[in-house]
Amino acid sequence: QKEVEQDPGPLSVPEGAIVSLNCTYSNSAFQYFMWYRQYSRKGPELLMYTYSSGNKEDGRFTAQVDKSSKYISLFIRDSQPSDSATYLCAMSASNNNDMRFGAGTRLTVKP
Amino acid sequence: GAVVSQHPSRVICKSGTSVKIECRSLDFQATTMFWYRQFPKKSLMLMATSNEGSKATYEQGVEKDKFLINHASLTLSTLTVTSAHPEDSSFYICSARPLKGTEGDTQYFGPGTRLTVL
């Protein structure tokens, strides 16, 4: 079993839809949870950063962490074509020296 | 803030040559920098962790004599691919972790370097 599981997609939605991206993990020591967005042939860009359980909202993006279920989610409201990218979840136990990434989900938002 | 640059962005070289890639944190200091490799439509694979002033820690299966890492200062790390071969062709991405208490406990990524070995 991989430490971090993420459905690679691809996921295609119409503009304006709510997008739900998810990851599951097996290491209960993970405390730091991140979502990165990566456009084609570019480096990942940090979108959301959450410590421990709970929700965090930033504009159209909401990150949720459920440590009891070892499940994290990223919601994108009112999705736009510019949101089309690969979304990577990442997590670590402490200080990010052992960050583990999901496989990334390719998202396409169609106009 | 939290900008990381990489140079070059793209390099094409002949088999057998060595290629150096620079990673710089432009507006923060980083005690730790990371080097990743990414194949098309695949996730990031950590190659090594680089700490300023000390030897890099390599992940299992990564040849340290082939991928030389130097972390000379708090804002610069270099990766040298020695005697490159076509199978080394890939997208190399660095990231930098800010000093604790400055930008938070996370990593900021560079834009990546696409290496093509002919």
Side-chain angles (χ1 to χ4, degrees):
Chain A
Q1 182 188 12
K2 292 181 182 178
E3 272 193 296
V4 182
E5 298 273 5
Q6 184 178 10
D7 186 343
L11 179 62
S12 181
V13 301
E15 184 175 356
I18 297 174
V19 176
S20 174
L21 304 167
N22 312 292
C23 288
T24 59
Y25 62 94
S26 58
N27 188 346
S28 58
F30 288 147
Q31 300 186 78
Y32 301 87
F33 303 92
M34 283 68 66
W35 285 95
Y36 288 86
R37 177 175 62 196
Q38 186 176 22
Y39 292 111
S40 181
R41 299 186 180 184
K42 300 290 184 183
E45 168 195 11
L46 180 66
L47 268 183
M48 300 288 282
Y49 168 76
T50 309
Y51 172 71
S52 194
S53 284
N55 295 357
K56 187 173 185 178
E57 187 173 322
D58 184 2
R60 296 186 294 111
F61 299 90
T62 299
Q64 289 185 351
V65 175
D66 183 348
K67 290 187 70 179
S68 62
S69 302
K70 297 189 180 67
Y71 186 88
I72 69 171
S73 302
L74 176 71
F75 297 96
I76 307 174
R77 291 184 299 280
D78 188 25
S79 56
Q80 303 295 311
S82 58
D83 294 328
S84 299
T86 296
Y87 290 81
L88 297 151
C89 65
M91 50 198 78
S92 67
S94 62
N95 297 330
N96 291 302
N97 278 0
D98 55 350
M99 186 181 284
R100 292 291 180 259
F101 286 86
T105 300
R106 290 188 68 193
L107 171 67
T108 301
V109 180
K110 296 185 177 180
Chain B
V3 178
V4 177
S5 70
Q6 270 183 252
H7 178 79
S9 59
R10 172 172 285 192
V11 58
I12 301 173
C13 68
K14 292 182 179 180
S15 185
T17 60
S18 293
V19 175
K20 179 185 282 188
I21 303 170
E22 289 188 351
C23 176
R24 293 181 186 272
S25 55
L26 298 184
D27 50 3
F28 65 96
Q29 292 182 321
T31 53
T32 306
M33 290 185 170
F34 304 85
W35 287 96
Y36 294 85
R37 186 172 178 176
Q38 188 176 35
F39 292 102
K41 301 183 181 181
K42 299 291 184 184
S43 190
L44 301 166
M45 288 177 48
L46 179 65
M47 297 174 65
T49 301
S50 167
N51 291 298
E52 186 263 340
S54 63
K55 291 184 178 180
T57 302
Y58 291 82
E59 294 296 299
Q60 191 173 8
V62 178
E63 299 176 58
K64 62 180 181 180
D65 294 330
K66 181 167 185 63
F67 298 99
L68 301 178
I69 293 172
N70 182 278
H71 194 150
S73 74
L74 287 173
T75 59
L76 173 65
S77 177
T78 61
L79 168 69
T80 301
V81 183
T82 62
S83 186
H85 291 286
E87 58 265 30
D88 298 324
S89 299
S90 190
F91 193 50
Y92 292 87
I93 306 175
C94 72
S95 71
R97 175 175 167 264
L99 289 173
K100 196 169 184 179
T102 54
E103 296 289 334
D105 282 335
T106 190
Q107 296 179 27
Y108 296 94
F109 286 83
T113 296
R114 184 161 301 282
L115 170 64
T116 303
V117 185
L118 303 175

